[in-house]
Amino acid sequence: MQLSVVALLGALALPSAAVPHARDEGQCKQTTVAILGGGMAGIAAAQTLHNASMEDFMILEYRDTIGGRAWHEPFGQDKDGNPYIIEMGCNWVQGLGTPGGPQNPVWTLAHVYNLSTVYSNYSNVSTYNQHGYKDYSHLIDAWDDAYDTAAAQAGVMLLDNLQDQTAKTGLALAGWRPKVDDMEAQAVDWWSWDFEDAYTPLESSFIFGVAGQNLTENGFSDEDNFVIDQRGYSHIIHGMASTFLKPNDTRLLLNNHITNISYSDSGVTIHSADGSCVRASYAICTFSLGVLQNHAVTFTPSLPEWKQEAIEGFTMGTYTKIFLQFNETFWPEDTQYFLYADPYMRGYYPVFQSLSTEGFFPGSNIIFVTVTEQFAWRAERQSDEKTKEEVLDVLRKMFPEKTIPEPIAFMYPRWTLEPWSYGSYSNWPPSTTLEMHENLRANAGRLWFAGEATSPTYFGFLHGAWFEGQAAGMEISRILNGTCSSSSKTNGTCSGRKHYETLHGTTPLADYSFVDGWDGNSFYDYNDD
């Protein structure tokens, strides 16, 4: 069974074993397990190996620091001239947990490392259109009612192994049918779906889109907390790493740009742009789906066709937060969210969030707006000045009675152009089956895969990356110490994860090798395989 959070935290207190230095043999450094990527999945995999008393591993990270898509930057300044730390990437702990019940492991880590967070009150939202304030909050209530009906139907469909459909179809059958020219309803549609998934309901799986949210909201809780810690969200990932990495640990290779991965049934060799290489018995690839889809790294031999189909079959969302700091807070200080319905374009600078609100960074005069998919791509490919001009134009429509000045600070990331990410997080498209996802997750020879995209239950979430990194670390440690279960052995050796050479359409849930069942709210734990 998956390692419990209690067991993990107990292991954090254990003293680190002596760390062997990598053995230089020939041109390649030698190690038993190479972990490709130092984000949440990679660090969770390394920590799991460490907890299994396996210390001969290396972590190869593209950037000059670990943390992956938990990425923060300094922005603006406070009254003392010090910059605020804001999150370019993941910003929420989503689905916290209930007293005495299941707890999100990221929320547990937030407690362990005293991460500062604030409750996100999604009910604290004001609605606007091109003429200013306009109360259309009744549409949010209507969407919520339809979603509850749709979610129940999605559970039935999954249990009965029925064909998937678009989330748009599922919501329409439950009564939510926003007209194309009803821009207020379209804004609510964006707020209620795209704001989470980074894709429209038309481009998202109904069954797995609903299941992914329910597994977090019902499996843990429906509360989300916004991270405001001035050490950055990645502080918890650095905290995890500190339990097994020493200062200047030679097993952590930063600024390592991997260009080629050669893999077989006997080992894996990783080549980097600086001419260095690492030879390992096993490797865990934690690259984002975007990196895999952009062919940023070559594989020798080419990945099997079933693997390539799976990689191309899923989608990588883009979720871009655009930050502005002003010399005053001209928006209502007691409101967290501001929903804007553009008269012409769905998803055009639709949701602003105040960081000047009490509990966040009061007095900071910081607000940010989120765009996704086509408008994120557009913003990331145009100049800061052009984007700033467009955002200010929207704000002036929302608050026509105010004189809105130029911002004193302005910043946003360009996720689709980052060569170590190429996007923000994955999404499950409609009619993409469990078999296809299992192929995405399956190993190719001794090359294993982990990350939020490989999680069937928590794809798109940071805790999905944690679970998947831990699972890959556990499975490889079992292979190395000879304790993998008999059901996963072939001719006396552990054969790895199941994959499908031929896809069979909708997959009976019972055939899905590492998910035991569905109880209407959550998949059961990973099994021993």
Side-chain angles (χ1 to χ4, degrees):
M1 299 298 290
Q2 76 184 33
L3 186 65
S4 70
V5 173
V6 172
L8 169 64
L9 297 181
L12 294 180
L14 296 175
S16 296
V19 178
H21 290 285
R23 304 177 301 279
D24 287 313
E25 296 179 5
Q27 295 182 344
C28 293
K29 295 180 179 179
Q30 307 287 321
T31 191
T32 301
V33 183
I35 299 168
L36 315 183
M40 175 60 90
I43 297 304
Q47 187 179 54
T48 302
L49 291 170
H50 164 76
N51 291 344
S53 301
M54 295 183 179
E55 306 294 348
D56 189 19
F57 56 80
M58 288 184 180
I59 305 169
L60 287 67
E61 166 56 41
Y62 186 105
R63 299 174 64 215
D64 61 0
T65 184
I66 63 173
R69 284 169 271 168
W71 167 32
H72 60 268
E73 291 287 344
F75 175 74
Q77 60 182 27
D78 62 19
K79 58 181 174 47
D80 297 319
N82 300 312
Y84 291 94
I85 295 299
I86 58 172
E87 300 295 336
M88 298 286 100
C90 53
N91 219 140
W92 284 264
V93 184
Q94 295 173 285
L96 308 183
T98 54
Q103 189 170 88
N104 186 330
V106 175
W107 184 233
T108 301
L109 290 165
H111 283 292
V112 171
Y113 297 109
N114 298 312
L115 196 73
S116 297
T117 66
V118 182
Y119 172 61
S120 270
N121 184 1
Y122 299 119
S123 297
N124 186 3
V125 55
S126 294
T127 52
Y128 297 77
N129 63 19
Q130 73 272 26
H131 303 300
Y133 176 77
K134 168 73 180 301
D135 184 6
Y136 49 88
S137 58
H138 64 282
L139 294 173
I140 298 177
D141 295 334
W143 193 96
D144 289 342
D145 290 342
Y147 180 84
D148 289 343
T149 301
Q153 181 59 28
V156 171
M157 292 175 68
L158 186 57
L159 280 171
D160 292 343
N161 303 312
L162 299 179
Q163 182 65 43
D164 190 21
Q165 53 195 225
T166 70
K168 181 179 183 295
T169 300
L171 288 164
L173 292 173
W176 176 254
R177 305 178 188 90
K179 296 184 182 301
V180 294
D181 59 348
D182 185 346
M183 301 312 291
E184 293 172 356
Q186 292 292 338
V188 168
D189 199 52
W190 190 99
W191 159 255
S192 302
W193 189 274
D194 303 36
F195 189 47
E196 179 69 49
D197 287 48
Y199 273 93
T200 68
L202 181 62
E203 300 163 299
S204 302
S205 163
F206 174 47
I207 291 178
F208 297 105
V210 169
Q213 291 191 29
N214 282 359
L215 288 164
T216 290
E217 295 174 358
N218 296 336
F220 299 124
S221 72
D222 61 0
E223 297 173 303
D224 295 348
N225 274 26
F226 187 88
V227 175
I228 60 170
D229 201 294
Q230 293 301 280
R231 296 165 298 182
Y233 201 159
S234 63
H235 174 67
I236 62 172
I237 300 176
H238 283 271
M240 292 167 61
S242 71
T243 65
F244 59 86
L245 289 179
K246 300 184 301 184
N248 302 314
D249 201 310
T250 57
R251 298 175 300 169
L252 176 60
L253 307 180
L254 298 173
N255 297 305
N256 192 291
H257 177 193
I258 297 170
T259 56
N260 174 264
I261 300 170
S262 299
Y263 67 95
S264 70
D265 290 331
S266 59
V268 182
T269 302
I270 302 98
H271 296 271
S272 299
D274 61 3
S276 65
C277 58
V278 172
R279 185 174 294 117
S281 300
Y282 292 87
I284 303 172
C285 177
T286 70
F287 298 158
S288 76
L289 180 64
V291 167
L292 295 173
Q293 289 180 336
N294 277 272
H295 303 278
V297 176
T298 60
F299 293 87
T300 306
S302 297
L303 291 173
E305 185 174 351
W306 56 263
K307 189 73 174 181
Q308 294 185 50
E309 287 179 356
I311 289 170
E312 300 301 339
F314 287 81
T315 48
M316 187 71 173
T318 307
Y319 187 100
T320 304
K321 292 175 291 181
I322 301 168
F323 294 87
L324 305 93
Q325 184 182 37
F326 294 90
N327 55 16
E328 62 174 326
T329 298
F330 55 80
W331 55 91
E333 293 188 32
D334 59 351
T335 302
Q336 284 191 31
Y337 294 96
F338 305 85
L339 177 62
Y340 171 68
D342 185 82
Y344 306 111
M345 295 178 285
R346 180 188 184 279
Y348 186 78
Y349 302 110
V351 171
F352 290 79
Q353 181 175 347
S354 173
L355 294 184
S356 204
T357 303
E358 189 65 35
F360 292 82
F361 304 140
S364 67
N365 306 321
I366 295 175
I367 195 169
F368 69 91
V369 59
T370 299
V371 286
T372 59
E373 205 186 3
Q374 67 198 52
F375 288 110
W377 276 66
R378 179 174 175 274
E380 292 186 4
R381 282 157 180 78
Q382 65 188 19
S383 69
D384 281 17
E385 284 301 314
K386 177 63 173 175
T387 302
K388 180 172 67 175
E389 176 187 333
E390 292 174 349
V391 174
L392 289 176
D393 180 62
V394 169
L395 285 170
R396 287 166 181 150
K397 291 175 178 176
M398 293 170 65
F399 303 101
E401 73 284 0
K402 301 287 186 179
T403 300
I404 297 176
E406 288 287 313
I408 58 177
F410 183 81
M411 176 187 287
Y412 63 96
R414 287 170 164 81
W415 279 106
T416 59
L417 304 179
E418 288 292 346
W420 50 271
S421 179
Y422 288 119
S424 302
Y425 52 84
S426 68
N427 186 51
W428 197 308
S431 301
T432 307
T433 67
L434 288 166
E435 286 185 352
M436 296 177 190
H437 190 270
E438 193 155 11
N439 282 356
L440 181 66
R441 191 175 187 264
N443 58 297
R446 291 196 175 188
L447 176 62
W448 293 59
F449 292 83
E452 53 83 11
T454 67
S455 173
T457 47
Y458 305 117
F459 60 91
F461 291 105
L462 187 63
H463 48 277
W466 184 91
F467 277 117
E468 286 295 288
Q470 186 196 60
M474 290 177 66
E475 290 166 31
I476 288 178
S477 69
R478 289 170 179 159
I479 292 172
L480 291 172
N481 65 26
T483 61
C484 53
S485 67
S486 59
S487 63
S488 64
K489 291 183 177 180
T490 302
N491 298 325
T493 61
C494 296
S495 59
R497 295 169 171 171
K498 182 178 181 180
H499 73 269
Y500 294 84
E501 296 280 352
T502 302
L503 298 173
H504 304 92
T506 303
T507 312
L509 197 63
D511 289 347
Y512 201 35
S513 66
F514 72 107
V515 174
D516 295 321
W518 170 263
D519 64 4
N521 290 315
S522 63
F523 286 115
Y524 298 133
D525 291 339
Y526 293 91
N527 66 29
D528 289 337
D529 295 340

